[in-house]
Every structure is written in structure tokens, then in C-alpha cells.
Amino acid sequence: MLEDAHFALAGRAVQLIDWDRNHRFCGRCATPTVTRAAERARECPACGLSSYPRIAPAVMALVRRGHKLLLARGPHFPPGMYSALAGFAEPGESLEQCLAREVAEEVGVQVSQIRYFASQPWPFPNSLMVAFHCEWAGGEIRPQDGEIESAGWFDVSQLPTLPSRISIARRLIDSAVSELRGPLE
């Protein structure tokens, strides 16, 4: 319901309050931490451990196959809504490796021609969503139990209900549709 600028400001506030609340005590020795004056950090006066706000990078992948887009719905989505695939990066993994792994895990297909689209801070939970376009390279759709309720190829002229325009998922989908047939109404 918020404009993009207000959503971004509110999201940043939520992330910083959550970080501050969760780092009141040192993770190493349990001493109460203090706020550093010169930077956004909490420091332990006993052992010197510093804590900074953490960001959890996540990728969003919109897979294209000709004039069709691979969209999926999670069990927590509103009824009838589909979106691009997404997942969190794991330690030691590039964003491109994460994208290929997540798509393979969630729907069983392989991708190629991964192209960066844009990024968006997302406060739930402290994420930085990094969106990519990619092309289908093989495999048949097999939705991952418990993670993906339904997935399918949708022609750009017959798309299901999509996420809100405030989300990077929607902007990613709109850009693919615009490239293939013109802007969404």
C-alpha cells in the first residue's frame, strides 16, 4: 500500500531495529554490547567483538522459453498468484550458482544465459533481492514438495495474477513481457 520510497524507508527501519534488538548481547561472551558512535555497529566492551547489520542475498530468477515464462506459486501466496522463482545464496556460492541451484531444486529445470536485471532491498528477512533473466536450457517442470505448490509455463498473453508492482518480482516479469510483446496494462 506504500509508495516505493516509503516502503524502502520503512523496510530499512524494520531491518535496523531488528538488527539492534538481536545484538544487544555479545554472541561470543554474552556481555551487553554498546553502540559505536562513529559507525552503525555494536561492540562488546569485554572481548571487542563487533556486530554489523547483516544482509542475506537472495536471487530471483525469471526463466524464459520462447514467449513463455516459468512462474510458480508458493504455499503462502495469495490464491491464484504466481511469481518468479527465488532463493537465498549459500556460503561460498556466487549469485549465478545460486540461481542455477535454486531453479533446479525448486522446479527441476536447467538454465543458461543468466542476465542481471536489478536489485531491491527486502526487509523480510533482511534480504537483498538480486533479480535475473535467464533462458530455459533443459528439463521438465517438477515442483519441489513443500516449497512450490504449482509451477508452469505461461504465455505472455495469458499470465496469471502477478505480485504487486512494488516488488522486484513484478518489475522483472513486466520487463520480460514488455520485451516480448509490449508493456502490461
Side-chain angles (χ1 to χ4, degrees):
M1 302 305 282
L2 296 174
E3 295 176 16
D4 285 357
H6 292 124
F7 179 79
L9 184 61
R12 182 179 175 136
V14 166
Q15 289 184 40
L16 292 174
I17 289 167
D18 183 64
W19 164 77
D20 192 61
R21 187 179 304 139
N22 289 327
H23 290 85
R24 294 181 301 145
F25 297 92
C26 178
R28 184 185 296 152
C29 71
T31 300
T33 59
V34 295
T35 302
R36 278 199 189 155
E39 61 185 333
R40 190 173 322 281
R42 294 190 68 88
E43 184 174 34
C44 177
C47 73
L49 180 68
S50 296
S51 293
Y52 298 89
R54 301 285 187 240
I55 301 297
V59 298
M60 177 154 292
L62 183 61
V63 184
R64 190 163 86 182
R65 185 179 187 180
H67 276 75
K68 294 185 177 185
L69 305 177
L70 175 55
L71 301 175
R73 57 174 283 101
H76 62 282
F77 284 14
M81 189 185 89
Y82 282 73
S83 187
L85 299 164
F88 287 99
E90 294 183 357
E93 185 175 58
S94 72
L95 296 176
E96 294 82 2
Q97 290 168 329
C98 174
L99 182 147
R101 176 187 52 77
E102 283 289 339
V103 171
E105 287 176 2
E106 291 187 353
V107 294
V109 303
Q110 292 75 48
V111 297
S112 65
Q113 300 179 37
I114 298 170
R115 300 174 312 280
Y116 173 78
F117 171 69
S119 65
Q120 177 183 35
W122 198 253
F124 313 105
N126 302 320
S127 303
L128 176 63
M129 299 299 293
V130 185
F132 295 89
H133 289 282
C134 56
E135 300 294 326
W136 174 82
E140 297 300 320
I141 296 174
R142 292 182 321 279
Q144 182 181 21
D145 287 338
E147 185 82 16
I148 302 296
E149 192 174 271
S150 174
W153 294 106
F154 292 88
D155 189 278
V156 295
S157 64
Q158 295 180 321
L159 293 173
T161 302
L162 299 174
S164 163
R165 291 187 189 276
I166 198 168
S167 72
I168 195 166
R170 179 60 181 268
R171 294 196 316 264
L172 180 64
I173 294 166
D174 286 353
S175 74
V177 170
S178 179
E179 184 180 306
L180 292 170
R181 73 165 174 115
L184 282 177
E185 299 300 320

